Amino acid sequence: SSGINAEYGGHEDAVDQIAWHPSDPNMLSTVSTDKTLRIWDIRTPQKTVACITTKGEVINMTWKSDGSTIALGNKDDLVCFVDYKTHKIISDKQFDFEVNEIGWNNTDDHFYLTSGNGSVHITQYPSLEPLMQIPAHTAHCICLKFSPNKEHFATGGADALINIWDASELSYLLSYSRLEWPVRTLSFNHDGRLLAAGSEDLVIDIAFVETGEKVATVSCNAFPFCVAWHPTQNLLAYVTDDKSKHSDKHSRDSDKTTGCVKLFGL
């Protein structure tokens, strides 16, 4: 079958996160160890639309559903909000707990943060005042993603479990695990039926959301640090960690792909 493959080079160090614009299928954002947020038009991979200097090294990024704002979380548990049109940081907040992945709920009036104690913290948006905590994992809760229709959200933890939740009722639906290492990255596809997950295993697991059954696996030469489905197609963008414990086995590949994005089509 014919697949789509492209690479976007421009960051001066490893790419840490990648996310598609929620409604414009040509726009993509990335953050890197080089302490920049870059916005790309996939039709012109040789240059960036915008390059914004971030506060510290950003490890998590998410878009507000209307595409107006990008939220960034850094290694020091500072969360910043960037205006998409002006490319300026409009607000930030320092948290006193380990903040992992972040995201808005289905109505954009609540902001979720996963934490080192295994819980999901729910805050009011834009004030970020705390509302409640949901115990989600027995170890660090590392990642969080909402489905495009915002009916479900998924969490991944250091317990190697992937949990699916009802976003309206905030109730647990099911869990599954085919990965041996902590789940570090999740992404729902455009219709919310598929969920891609990555860990330090050398594969990306793709599952049916309704049942947790396996659909496909994508082999990687180093562990997949970040996965992100295209907003309208079954096209998965992903980044592998060139500094992983596996990369010495593939030194030629990892030298070649530092700071690049890869695409896989189903």
Side-chain angles (χ1 to χ4, degrees), residues 201-239:
D201 298 74
L202 297 183
V203 294
I204 296 165
D205 180 271
I206 300 174
F208 282 118
V209 171
E210 197 172 328
T211 62
E213 290 177 81
K214 183 172 79 171
V215 176
T217 56
V218 183
S219 295
C220 305
N221 66 339
F223 83 74
F225 197 84
C226 182
V227 296
W229 286 104
H230 189 277
T232 60
Q233 301 172 40
N234 279 337
L235 180 65
L236 186 72
Y238 65 98
V239 180

Side-chain angles (χ1 to χ4, degrees), residues 3-266:
I4 299 175
N5 285 286
E7 290 193 356
Y8 300 81
H11 282 293
E12 294 171 6
D13 210 330
V15 176
D16 286 335
Q17 288 285 323
I18 178 170
W20 295 92
H21 187 288
S23 57
D24 185 338
N26 293 312
M27 304 309 290
L28 186 68
S29 60
T30 55
V31 289
S32 166
T33 311
D34 66 10
K35 298 182 181 177
T36 64
L37 161 67
R38 289 175 187 258
I39 298 169
W40 308 83
D41 185 324
I42 65 169
R43 295 165 294 190
T44 54
Q46 66 275 17
K47 63 176 183 176
T48 54
V49 173
C51 179
I52 301 134
T53 301
T54 60
K55 294 186 177 184
E57 185 183 334
V58 173
I59 54 173
N60 286 296
M61 168 176 58
T62 188
W63 288 79
K64 197 161 175 268
S65 61
D66 62 4
S68 67
T69 311
I70 305 168
L72 308 174
N74 78 8
K75 278 190 167 178
D76 299 314
D77 310 314
L78 178 78
V79 177
C80 298
F81 297 89
V82 177
D83 185 284
Y84 172 57
K85 287 187 177 169
T86 65
H87 306 145
K88 305 278 191 215
I89 294 173
I90 50 177
S91 64
D92 61 44
K93 177 162 181 172
Q94 179 69 54
F95 288 88
D96 60 1
F97 58 86
E98 179 189 312
V99 174
N100 293 318
E101 197 150 20
I102 50 181
W104 279 273
N105 71 332
N106 50 1
T107 48
D108 287 336
D109 60 348
H110 294 161
F111 192 73
Y112 287 47
L113 308 100
T114 62
S115 72
N117 68 5
S119 296
V120 177
H121 294 246
I122 303 176
T123 67
Q124 197 75 42
Y125 183 79
S127 69
L128 301 182
E129 291 299 316
L131 292 173
M132 65 183 294
Q133 287 186 50
I134 302 172
H137 292 268
T138 57
H140 294 250
C141 186
I142 299 170
C143 49
L144 163 90
K145 277 294 184 296
F146 279 85
S147 62
N149 59 15
K150 301 290 181 98
E151 287 182 7
H152 299 107
F153 67 91
T155 58
D159 51 11
L161 285 175
I162 297 159
N163 294 335
I164 310 289
W165 305 79
D166 182 303
S168 299
E169 303 292 329
L170 299 179
S171 58
Y172 164 85
L173 295 175
L174 64 96
S175 65
Y176 62 93
S177 180
R178 280 179 292 272
L179 300 170
E180 296 179 17
W181 292 82
V183 181
R184 299 196 172 275
T185 177
L186 295 167
S187 181
F188 285 91
N189 77 328
H190 64 95
D191 61 11
R193 294 178 62 209
L194 302 177
L195 183 68
S199 69
E200 290 187 36
D201 298 74
L202 297 183
V203 294
I204 296 165
D205 180 271
I206 300 174
F208 282 118
V209 171
E210 197 172 328
T211 62
E213 290 177 81
K214 183 172 79 171
V215 176
T217 56
V218 183
S219 295
C220 305
N221 66 339
F223 83 74
F225 197 84
C226 182
V227 296
W229 286 104
H230 189 277
T232 60
Q233 301 172 40
N234 279 337
L235 180 65
L236 186 72
Y238 65 98
V239 180
T240 55
D241 185 354
D242 305 309
K243 299 184 181 116
S244 81
K245 61 189 176 61
H246 304 293
S247 61
D248 59 336
K249 300 177 191 173
H250 305 274
S251 56
R252 287 177 299 170
D253 291 333
S254 55
D255 286 347
K256 194 169 56 182
T257 58
T258 297
C260 289
V261 176
K262 302 168 189 177
L263 300 178
F264 168 82
L266 266 183

